[in-house]
Amino acid sequence: MNSFGRLFRISIFGESHGESVGITIDGCPAGLSLQAEDLLPDLERRKGGIQKGTTPRQETDFPIFKSGLFNNKTTGFPLTILFENNNTRSEDYNKQRSIPRPGHADWVANQKFGGHEDYRGGGHFSARLTTGLVAAGAIAKKLMPELRIEAKVTEIGGEKDTEKGLQNAIEAKDSVGGIVECLVTGLPVGLGEPYFDSLESVLAHILFAIPAVRGVEFGTGFAAAKMYGSAHNDAIEDMTGKTRTNHAGGVVGGISNGNELVFRLAVKPTSSTSKTQNSLNWETGTTEDFSIKGRHDLCVALRAPVIVEAVTAIVLADCMLLEQKIKRVL
Amino acid sequence: MNSFGRLFRISIFGESHGESVGITIDGCPAGLSLQAEDLLPDLERRKGGIQKGTTPRQETDFPIFKSGLFNNKTTGFPLTILFENNNTRSEDYNKQRSIPRPGHADWVANQKFGGHEDYRGGGHFSARLTTGLVAAGAIAKKLMPELRIEAKVTEIGGEKDTEKGLQNAIEAKDSVGGIVECLVTGLPVGLGEPYFDSLESVLAHILFAIPAVRGVEFGTGFAAAKMYGSAHNDAIEDMTGKTRTNHAGGVVGGISNGNELVFRLAVKPTSSTSKTQNSLNWETGTTEDFSIKGRHDLCVALRAPVIVEAVTAIVLADCMLLEQKIKRVL
Amino acid sequence: MNSFGRLFRISIFGESHGESVGITIDGCPAGLSLQAEDLLPDLERRKGGIQKGTTPRQETDFPIFKSGLFNNKTTGFPLTILFENNNTRSEDYNKQRSIPRPGHADWVANQKFGGHEDYRGGGHFSARLTTGLVAAGAIAKKLMPELRIEAKVTEIGGEKDTEKGLQNAIEAKDSVGGIVECLVTGLPVGLGEPYFDSLESVLAHILFAIPAVRGVEFGTGFAAAKMYGSAHNDAIEDMTGKTRTNHAGGVVGGISNGNELVFRLAVKPTSSTSKTQNSLNWETGTTEDFSIKGRHDLCVALRAPVIVEAVTAIVLADCMLLEQKIKRVL
Amino acid sequence: MNSFGRLFRISIFGESHGESVGITIDGCPAGLSLQAEDLLPDLERRKGGIQKGTTPRQETDFPIFKSGLFNNKTTGFPLTILFENNNTRSEDYNKQRSIPRPGHADWVANQKFGGHEDYRGGGHFSARLTTGLVAAGAIAKKLMPELRIEAKVTEIGGEKDTEKGLQNAIEAKDSVGGIVECLVTGLPVGLGEPYFDSLESVLAHILFAIPAVRGVEFGTGFAAAKMYGSAHNDAIEDMTGKTRTNHAGGVVGGISNGNELVFRLAVKPTSSTSKTQNSLNWETGTTEDFSIKGRHDLCVALRAPVIVEAVTAIVLADCMLLEQKIKRVL
């Protein structure tokens, strides 16, 4: 249940305030040149505390390879990568254990796992688990140097001028949502399948696994619902499959058509806000006012792009292996 | 690749103009009372030619059980259900084989499957394959009589007055997109998992498998990207998990929280429009004007609700089995 | 649960005395030349009533392709193949419903499926389901014309002179067990993985799915347990990996080594014997004498070789796809 | 490819002479009381150097929980367990890199992974990976305290007096094979499925994943091939399903029948023997005499029982979850 992928398969583990978080990648081709340093630029982008509006919690996030690497090359066997948790302040969470934080998984986790969940810092639900995703994504990117995968925040709090949207939230002393867009160029025709393993299906599956994602759309997306067919259809121009417009966002019938892959995600405002909230105290059974301590992102969308790129790369590497466009031994 | 689900697992097969389309359901609990008639109401809703704006192609769509049913009860073994294709007019498609229809999978299918695909009527890509989904969905619904799953078209061509939106398209002699919303009440707390098997992930996976779906959003969805956290968070009111608002749409941290499940889909305009289009002729290598013959839906969103309900029921039955909330023998 | 395989994936359905039995093959490459006639020789070998010692029940066993075939080539989409059941005599089974036949699944099926199982002729447990396996195997064989897969009965009732062993059983008016050996030549080096997806693991998995198989051994198998290492080890002779001896039976560390693949199966005597037996009557709760009616094989091992070849081919096609030694489009 | 199981799912990683070996267990129910000490007795049994005839390489084999445990209880999230490799002597292996050891995976690994495999001590193929299996098995056993799973060596080098068989090998200065038998009592009726997920199939799958296993048989196994049906059939005696004899070894039609589960494995002689051997040197392309250095087991069967018990427990826990006989939250 904590695994994803068919031939390039990832499995995540760990808790926010436990010993470590990590990932195992099974099915990575043998012979890929790889060292910890290759992962650092993307891991650095994921970190909080650098951009304005992100959490001050800072982890070193240095990837420790426990298996699958030999002489700085992948062996073809599972790669297990650990990230130690050093900078945890669990006492922040213990205090408020009885008030499930609105928007967070506290209450559902408690119900589903009978109180056995590690609740500190969100436990296994924490966005800290995305560290492993980013590491796997960086490896997947290395497998496909011909692709350009680029995600960015295109809107914060409804403002296309993202700096303004963020500033508004800072002034409101509140967390805020945003839109992330991802573009991929260099994709071959033919990735994805009709129906269940459509490229949109598989991408959406993992995109909705990113905490705080509430919507996913491809190409014109929700705007397509307002259009006529004659305006929406993309005329094919030549034998490479290039289309005059790209309302489809590069996927037709579930399959990549060789044009730019385009999709967008809606990211909700960080559930942790410094505003006073009113919610249930499950010890007393009544609602009460409270405010959330701990260190948090003001706009979690700001940290999403590198994660979105990572999971996109993971899906595409998997599809490329299925289509035999990446070899099992490089 | 044409299968979906973990414990309640479906596999589809068939082509639009082949002998038949069908589905196999593996993992359906034994002892469910079931006969063909139970599936007819939903199959009827899926059919074209009844509502204004849907295809005049009419199939009897009578489900033929080939296995898994004995004395009008499920046996616990795979249920295979066939729908014969009787009402096909393949010659419509043969004529235009060399001009891949914009918005359709013709071109990508040809590239991916090396010309071996059954191109008649879209072959395996055809929405006719959703017949099996609707059948499986009706069975899944029978497994969960305590749920109310209801999808409807809430917008056509940008008009919330859907009749007006449809009328506009009829007058424009063009196909048109729409929005479908699905609501589920009666869900227990605890369906779904954090990360990869989040309820949103699994639902989005199969929702994007429905032809023409271009966007999926849960709760406030894309609107959440414009909100502040204090406004978006749903305060928990009591020990049942009931929240004061339901911006989350019933899913927090990937897990159902006991409130109403709410999501929406963007459905693009039917790719087949009677308007003249200009696209590639792969025999001549040049673009040319052409128009699409055949029988088609004006607004495919109109046929989507019952399919959306079906795939939702399929996912929920699977989650309920995983949570041991449906027994293996009834 | 009724599916098997990773990239070449089969799903079986049907009951012995239901409408039909069948199989769906997902992941078969596009462009394979195929027609029903290609499957007939192997289907003919599987049939009872031809060899001495096999059941007189005769089915036409003509494969009906419901999907996945177009212009006599595979399309790359799921192939669903049906075999109608015509020659059933269910009344034989109804009479003895209350006495679960020893050696058969009657009792466990009833317990596990709460009495909802189709018990006629063994239902889904029936060896009639192997018809689909043989069909899929014949297709897998066509994908790998460079291989020679050959299984045969090497022993009946302990006699290496199989005719004698069979004659003994005929004279004893009893059913009898046997040994089947399978040899595969032409395999490339490198199929299989260490540990869970070892070639032995995957083969044994599906070999034990064949009804009546009670043991599987590779190479020297159980005899290896009596040997010293210096005698058992196969010295590699040259750069092709050819070994001087082949005690390993062509698999080392879970991976094919380029030598002949060799394995053997123990097949138990047919559970249905015409001898009087004593067993439980679950209506009365006491044991009683009874004898089995119906039409049965005297030595089910005699029908096993073509099934063993089939499942072997299915596994090997899957491994070849994983190793990218078969293309997705031919 | 390095994962196994459906609801109780294990994934192994690591190399013999790398940093560590380990396992991730996904799907373990929440609320199981667990600490490292619970795993030590079985881990101790697996170790070499204690029994006569096992490798003098000694590792501390202390399980380090990296995730999934909180307040000494399982959380319901993935358990990742590491075992550090401390006691490695890789130089032993570097010397003989060019002579693939007969019976070992050296040659096939090199061919399949293009020379990128970590060849030291067998790398990922090493039996050291079974440490994780034993840990997972100990956890699975804790989930099913009502079962008694017991495996033991019943034969060495053909001798039922195992001490004598081992002594013969010591005197011959050679490695030797053996037979391991496993018995399970306390199993409920109904585990396993017909065909692909038969209890024999799933057990055999993972049993053949244990290095050196060359044959698996259930109940009378290969002896059944010599028997008549009237002698082999187990008459059911009473409504609990108890049979008069147990030739079936507790599994009929792929499903547990409530009687004792009985199976046996053939374990080949350790491939590493101190005898001089003759094999290929792939640098020179010719064969030459050589002998194997390093620390090895004389009779690897001696270390197998606890591993056999472990994988058996893993399979049974998975089946019990599928049958909803273990809850998701304890």
Side-chain angles (χ1 to χ4, degrees), chain A residues 45-46 51 134 151 153 180 210-211 213 265 267 299-310:
Chain A
R45 287 172 65 203
R46 197 207 71 93
Q51 296 177 73
V134 169
V153 178
V180 174
I210 302 175
V213 171
L265 300 91
V267 181
C299 177
V300 74
L302 288 168
R303 290 172 73 187
V306 69
I307 304 168
V308 169
E309 290 178 13

Side-chain angles (χ1 to χ4, degrees), chain D residues 227-272:
Chain D
M227 291 171 77
Y228 286 140
S230 58
H232 188 270
N233 283 347
D234 300 312
I236 302 177
E237 281 201 316
D238 62 33
M239 301 297 272
T240 68
K242 192 178 175 317
T243 55
R244 215 163 289 160
T245 49
N246 187 17
H247 298 123
V251 200
V252 174
I255 296 176
S256 65
N257 69 1
N259 291 276
E260 190 176 37
L261 178 66
V262 183
F263 58 87
R264 271 172 305 281
L265 300 91
V267 181
K268 73 174 183 179
T270 319
S271 298
S272 296

Side-chain angles (χ1 to χ4, degrees), chain A residues 31-34 68-75, chain D residues 116:
Chain A
L32 178 71
S33 190
L34 184 66
L69 209 53
F70 182 51
N71 294 335
N72 292 326
K73 295 212 170 172
T74 56
T75 59
Chain D
H116 301 296

Side-chain angles (χ1 to χ4, degrees), chain B:
Chain B
M1 287 177 287
N2 292 285
S3 297
F4 183 82
R6 293 152 298 183
L7 294 183
F8 187 84
R9 189 164 175 83
I10 57 171
S11 302
I12 56 170
F13 53 86
E15 286 85 20
S16 181
H17 291 215
E19 272 212 30
S20 55
V21 295
I23 195 161
T24 297
I25 303 160
D26 199 1
C28 183
L32 178 71
S33 189
L34 185 66
Q35 43 191 325
E37 286 65 27
D38 295 329
L39 313 184
L40 296 184
D42 273 359
L43 288 166
E44 199 64 25
R45 288 171 65 202
R46 198 207 71 92
K47 269 191 200 173
I50 296 165
Q51 297 176 74
K52 191 163 63 167
T54 60
T55 176
R57 172 176 171 184
Q58 289 225 22
E59 292 282 355
T60 51
D61 285 357
F62 191 84
I64 304 163
F65 285 86
K66 304 300 283 187
S67 68
L69 209 52
F70 182 52
N71 293 336
N72 291 327
K73 293 213 171 172
T74 56
T75 59
F77 297 112
L79 285 154
T80 292
I81 307 173
L82 283 189
F83 298 91
E84 302 292 347
N85 291 331
N86 303 308
N87 193 354
T88 56
R89 285 179 19 199
S90 303
E91 62 281 8
D92 289 345
Y93 295 90
N94 284 321
K95 284 180 203 149
Q96 289 181 332
R97 169 79 169 131
S98 59
I99 305 182
R101 295 166 301 161
H104 280 286
D106 300 352
W107 194 79
V108 291
N110 190 260
Q111 293 288 310
K112 183 180 175 87
F113 296 98
H116 300 297
E117 74 283 0
D118 180 350
Y119 53 80
R120 300 165 304 163
H124 188 69
F125 291 80
S126 166
R128 180 145 178 73
L129 272 282
T130 59
T131 317
L133 297 181
V134 169
I139 294 170
K141 286 176 181 176
K142 283 206 76 174
L143 285 170
M144 305 174 295
E146 70 279 21
L147 301 192
R148 187 156 162 272
I149 304 174
E150 200 171 86
K152 61 171 193 286
V153 178
T154 57
E155 204 181 303
I156 292 182
E159 296 283 349
K160 292 206 189 301
D161 175 346
T162 57
E163 297 222 6
K164 184 173 170 208
L166 183 61
Q167 196 55 39
N168 289 347
I170 290 171
E171 285 163 20
K173 295 197 169 110
D174 210 340
S175 61
V176 67
I179 301 283
V180 174
E181 184 175 67
C182 185
L183 307 177
V184 184
T185 52
L187 271 186
V189 180
L191 304 186
E193 311 288 331
Y195 284 92
F196 306 132
D197 282 1
S198 77
L199 194 51
E200 300 105 314
S201 286
V202 184
L203 279 167
H205 190 133
I206 196 165
L207 290 167
F208 274 113
I210 302 175
V213 171
R214 304 305 287 154
V216 170
E217 62 177 11
F218 291 83
T220 44
F222 275 86
K226 301 183 196 297
M227 292 171 78
Y228 286 140
S230 59
H232 188 270
N233 282 348
D234 300 312
I236 303 177
E237 282 201 315
D238 62 32
M239 302 297 272
T240 68
K242 192 177 174 317
T243 55
R244 215 163 289 159
T245 50
N246 187 17
H247 298 124
V251 200
V252 174
I255 296 175
S256 65
N257 68 1
N259 291 276
E260 190 177 37
L261 177 67
V262 182
F263 58 87
R264 274 172 304 281
L265 300 91
V267 181
K268 73 172 184 180
T270 319
S271 298
S272 295
T273 165
S274 51
K275 291 274 183 191
T276 297
Q277 301 185 71
N278 178 282
S279 196
L280 179 74
N281 180 324
W282 68 36
E283 277 181 11
T284 63
T286 56
T287 62
E288 61 180 67
D289 281 357
F290 74 102
S291 66
I292 288 182
K293 300 286 181 295
R295 297 159 294 171
H296 305 286
D297 292 283
L298 191 62
C299 176
V300 76
L302 289 168
R303 290 173 72 188
V306 70
I307 304 168
V308 170
E309 289 176 14
V311 300
T312 302
I314 289 164
V315 163
L316 294 176
D318 194 32
C319 291
M320 296 278 270
L321 278 161
L322 279 167
E323 283 299 299
Q324 305 182 342
K325 289 185 190 301
I326 297 177
K327 295 208 171 122
R328 285 204 61 185
V329 177
L330 302 181

Side-chain angles (χ1 to χ4, degrees), chain C residues 42-58:
Chain C
D42 274 359
L43 288 167
E44 199 63 26
R45 288 171 66 201
R46 198 206 71 92
K47 267 191 202 174
I50 295 165
Q51 296 177 72
K52 191 163 63 168
T54 60
T55 174
R57 171 176 171 184
Q58 287 225 22

Side-chain angles (χ1 to χ4, degrees), chain C residues 66-284:
Chain C
K66 303 301 285 186
S67 68
L69 209 53
F70 182 51
N71 293 335
N72 292 328
K73 294 212 170 173
T74 56
T75 59
F77 297 112
L79 285 154
T80 292
I81 307 173
L82 283 190
F83 298 90
E84 302 292 347
N85 291 331
N86 304 308
N87 192 354
T88 55
R89 285 180 14 198
S90 303
E91 63 281 9
D92 289 345
Y93 296 91
N94 284 322
K95 282 181 206 150
Q96 290 181 329
R97 172 75 169 133
S98 59
I99 305 181
R101 295 166 300 162
H104 281 285
D106 300 351
W107 194 80
V108 290
N110 190 260
Q111 293 288 310
K112 184 182 175 86
F113 297 98
H116 300 297
E117 74 283 0
D118 181 349
Y119 54 81
R120 299 167 302 165
H124 187 71
F125 291 80
S126 165
R128 180 144 178 74
L129 272 282
T130 59
T131 318
L133 297 181
V134 169
I139 294 169
K141 285 176 180 176
K142 283 206 75 175
L143 286 169
M144 306 174 295
E146 71 278 21
L147 301 192
R148 188 157 162 272
I149 303 174
E150 202 171 85
K152 61 172 193 285
V153 178
T154 57
E155 205 180 302
I156 291 182
E159 295 284 348
K160 293 206 187 305
D161 175 346
T162 56
E163 297 221 5
K164 183 172 172 211
L166 184 61
Q167 196 55 42
N168 289 347
I170 290 171
E171 285 164 17
K173 296 200 167 103
D174 211 340
S175 61
V176 67
I179 301 283
V180 174
E181 184 175 68
C182 184
L183 308 176
V184 184
T185 53
L187 271 186
V189 179
L191 304 187
E193 312 289 332
Y195 284 92
F196 306 131
D197 282 2
S198 76
L199 194 50
E200 298 106 314
S201 285
V202 184
L203 279 168
H205 190 133
I206 196 165
L207 289 167
F208 273 114
I210 302 174
V213 171
R214 304 305 289 155
V216 170
E217 62 176 11
F218 291 84
T220 43
F222 275 85
K226 303 182 193 297
M227 292 172 76
Y228 286 141
S230 59
H232 188 271
N233 282 347
D234 300 312
I236 303 176
E237 282 202 317
D238 62 33
M239 301 298 271
T240 68
K242 193 179 174 315
T243 55
R244 216 164 287 159
T245 49
N246 186 19
H247 298 123
V251 200
V252 174
I255 297 176
S256 66
N257 69 1
N259 292 275
E260 190 175 39
L261 177 67
V262 183
F263 58 88
R264 271 171 306 280
L265 300 91
V267 181
K268 74 173 183 180
T270 319
S271 298
S272 296
T273 166
S274 52
K275 291 273 182 191
T276 297
Q277 301 185 70
N278 179 283
S279 197
L280 180 73
N281 180 323
W282 68 38
E283 278 181 10
T284 63

Side-chain angles (χ1 to χ4, degrees), chain D residues 87-109:
Chain D
N87 193 353
T88 55
R89 285 178 19 196
S90 303
E91 63 281 11
D92 289 345
Y93 295 90
N94 283 321
K95 284 182 202 146
Q96 290 183 332
R97 170 78 170 132
S98 58
I99 305 182
R101 296 166 300 162
H104 281 285
D106 300 350
W107 193 80
V108 291

